[in-house]
Amino acid sequence: MHAVEAFELVLALLVLVIGLHWLALKLRWPPATALLVGGGALAFVPGLPAISLDPELALVLFLPPLLMDGAYYTALGRFRRHLPGILSLAVGAVVFTTLVVGVVVRWIIPDLPWAACFALGAIVSPPDAVSARAVLKGVHLPRRLEALLEGESLLNDATGLILFRFAVAATLSGVFHTGEAVQSFAVVAIGGAGVGAAVAAGWIFLAKRLRDPMLIMLITILLCWAAYLAGEAVHVSGVIATVTAGLALGWYQHVILPADVRLRASSAWQILVFVLEALVFILIGFSLRGAIERIGGIGAIPMSMISVIVAVVITVAAARFIWIFGSEAILGLARKLGIERARPLGWRQATVLSWAGMRGVVTLAVPLTLPIDMPGRDMMLICAFAVIFATVVVQGSSLGALIRQIQPVDADPPAKMAMPAAEAAMARARLAVIEELAYDADGTLVHPQMLEEHRKRMRFMERYEQDASAEMDNLRPHFDVLLKAIAAGRAELIRIHRAGLIEDEVLHELERDLDVEELAMTLQRGE
């Protein structure tokens, strides 16, 4: 494909993303479902060019920024608090699913080597960070359940990739040592965390010393790829390196990044993540065509392979339920024996957690890296696509309805300070500084209006802390007037610009001020 044609194809895919995303909003589907189904349907339209997705490029291009985005917004306190449960899902559930799928496939196809069966299990076992984020957007979850799903999606890709590499090596060499595998697993995981921490330290060092906002934004955006590639270069987990760097970025950016850089970088980052996330599902759908053609078309799929595909899809879903409800039973028994730290989720949260096992980019890209002489390679490719479609389309589309139906209860204790109390605490701290600096050295009041403004704000915040909803009801008409005034100012600004009375630079500067003011008013109004 010519370079210009490739660029035109990318533009066409972006237009397709806009249309399918709009359709998903209209139909109230998860956007991931519409993108995946739409891409899969269009892949078989006659005359459209075949799109092949290079697996190594897919992992390097898509996985680091989407993992970084999830890690950046992860609540680190909740992540640490629920780390045992996260590791149970990200390591325990993935290993268990790999073993169960391997046993089922070996039972159906006795001639397939055990290591190849487990390689297929490793391919389909890790739920995907991208799929989980795409499906869970807009869904309200209990805090503990949200922490478990976020943490699992960040770490389980590393487990699946490591297991896959061990299984492929064992299949081709015919040799597997459990002790060496466990030791290598620990080295790869711990080494990935160390590399991620080192790359994050380098980012902190540079971000503190660079003065140009564009350079700070650039190194912040490149941090995800730097961590991933550094981890892979030294043969440790690039996934864990990226997640570690993302957690560090989310923790330190508040005290390192200037406000204007944070505001601008956040907007650029959200657009980047939206485009990459959408393209992942479009390309997964389009890649189905190549996988089908490699085995001679849909009609060439034997019934024996169809039975394996169905068995793998069912086993993947069932293994997750078995692991989670089995863990629930163990936690319940431990609780009865007096172990206070053992806190079962309850059947409602356990059901939602069991059903939220969508697969995505890793399950797509990994089987495409299989050696040509790998036993069962074509069957693994088709099984991987089937698992992605079944989990994203069936589970992803029904997850919101399931949550609304069973209404999982948030058993986690709330934070000690709610938002109104936090805002009141900030207002008190600001007023204390203003009261100190509003007077000059001889005690003369030099900033009376500023002092009165902050005292009025403090009085409002004290009322807001006592009854937030009543104060917001009283304040919304005030915000409505201010928003209309901002709109009038914007219209006048545009009028005088169109009349040639001000330069474009003045327009952009004043419009930015209006935008920030309007954004602040809109957020305070509760929209």
Side-chain angles (χ1 to χ4, degrees), residues 3-334:
V4 175
E5 292 176 340
F7 179 67
E8 291 173 346
L9 180 60
V10 171
L11 294 179
L13 289 178
L14 292 176
V15 173
L16 181 60
V17 164
I18 294 171
L20 290 173
H21 196 90
W22 174 84
L23 181 63
L25 295 177
K26 284 291 183 183
L27 298 177
R28 296 185 178 180
W29 287 2
T33 300
L35 293 166
L36 189 61
V37 173
L42 288 172
F44 293 95
V45 174
L48 286 182
I51 299 177
S52 59
L53 185 62
D54 182 88
E56 297 295 338
L57 176 62
L59 288 177
V60 173
L61 175 61
F62 294 110
L63 197 56
L66 298 174
L67 284 171
M68 177 71 72
D69 190 59
Y72 178 85
Y73 289 106
T74 295
L76 193 56
R78 287 209 303 264
F79 182 86
R80 288 197 299 260
R81 188 162 60 249
H82 298 298
L83 186 58
I86 290 170
L87 291 177
S88 171
L89 293 168
V91 179
V94 171
V95 173
F96 178 72
T97 303
T98 299
L99 296 175
V100 172
V101 170
V103 170
V104 169
V105 172
R106 173 73 177 192
W107 176 64
I108 300 174
I109 312 177
D111 295 335
L112 193 65
W114 273 109
C117 296
F118 292 136
L120 174 56
I123 289 169
V124 299
S125 60
D128 185 61
V130 183
S131 299
R133 281 171 38 80
V135 170
L136 293 173
K137 280 180 180 176
V139 176
H140 178 71
L141 291 173
R143 290 185 294 274
R144 183 181 178 189
L145 195 56
E146 187 175 5
L148 289 173
L149 285 171
E150 287 179 350
E152 176 197 18
S153 68
L154 293 175
L155 299 179
N156 57 16
D157 287 341
T159 305
L161 287 169
I162 294 169
L163 290 175
F164 170 77
R165 289 166 183 166
F166 287 154
V168 170
T171 302
L172 298 179
S173 66
V175 179
F176 180 77
H177 298 290
T178 305
E180 291 181 5
V182 173
Q183 183 179 1
S184 299
F185 186 97
V187 170
V188 167
I190 296 172
V195 169
V199 173
W203 170 80
I204 292 172
F205 177 84
L206 290 175
K208 284 182 175 179
R209 286 157 179 80
L210 292 175
R211 293 292 178 263
D212 189 291
M214 295 303 296
L215 293 179
I216 299 175
M217 289 170 58
L218 183 59
I219 65 168
T220 301
I221 291 174
L222 292 177
L223 176 62
C224 60
W225 286 291
Y228 184 87
L229 293 173
E232 293 296 313
V234 297
H235 306 293
V236 297
S237 174
V239 170
I240 293 180
T242 306
V243 170
T244 303
L247 292 172
L249 173 62
W251 182 259
Y252 287 104
Q253 56 92 12
H254 306 288
V255 295
I256 291 177
L257 297 181
D260 62 329
V261 171
R262 186 162 48 248
L263 187 64
R264 293 156 65 186
S266 176
S267 299
W269 183 256
Q270 288 175 13
I271 291 292
L272 175 65
V273 168
F274 173 81
V275 170
L276 292 177
E277 192 174 88
L279 286 177
V280 162
F281 291 103
I282 287 283
L283 292 172
I284 287 175
F286 269 100
S287 298
L288 178 60
R289 175 178 171 181
I292 296 294
E293 288 176 348
R294 268 190 292 271
I295 61 172
I298 295 178
I301 301 177
M303 286 302 299
S304 59
M305 185 179 292
I306 293 176
S307 64
V308 174
I309 293 170
V310 173
V312 168
V313 170
I314 294 174
T315 303
V316 165
R320 186 172 176 87
F321 271 88
I322 292 170
W323 179 267
I324 290 173
F325 276 91
S327 301
E328 278 290 287
I330 294 173
L331 289 174
L333 179 61

Side-chain angles (χ1 to χ4, degrees), residues 285-432:
F286 269 100
S287 298
L288 178 60
R289 175 178 171 181
I292 296 294
E293 288 176 348
R294 268 190 292 271
I295 61 172
I298 295 178
I301 301 177
M303 286 302 299
S304 59
M305 185 179 292
I306 293 176
S307 64
V308 174
I309 293 170
V310 173
V312 168
V313 170
I314 294 174
T315 303
V316 165
R320 186 172 176 87
F321 271 88
I322 292 170
W323 179 267
I324 290 173
F325 276 91
S327 301
E328 278 290 287
I330 294 173
L331 289 174
L333 179 61
R335 186 79 174 181
K336 290 179 181 179
L337 294 176
I339 302 176
E340 294 296 326
R341 295 187 63 182
R343 294 193 303 119
L345 287 167
W347 72 269
R348 297 175 190 271
Q349 293 197 55
T351 301
V352 173
L353 188 62
S354 300
W355 195 243
M358 290 71 66
R359 270 63 173 178
V361 63
V362 171
T363 301
L364 163 72
V366 166
L368 295 175
T369 66
L370 286 166
I372 298 297
D373 57 346
M374 182 77 177
R377 184 178 188 274
D378 291 336
M379 181 266 296
M380 293 182 190
L381 285 169
I382 302 301
C383 282
F385 278 104
V387 169
I388 294 171
F389 269 80
T391 55
V392 173
V393 175
V394 178
Q395 293 179 265
S397 299
S398 58
L399 183 61
L402 176 68
I403 292 171
R404 290 189 294 270
Q405 184 66 33
I406 69 174
Q407 297 179 350
V409 179
D410 196 341
D412 263 19
K416 295 180 180 180
M417 185 178 290
M419 183 179 291
E423 290 188 287
M426 289 195 324
R428 281 190 285 270
R430 292 176 62 173
L431 178 60

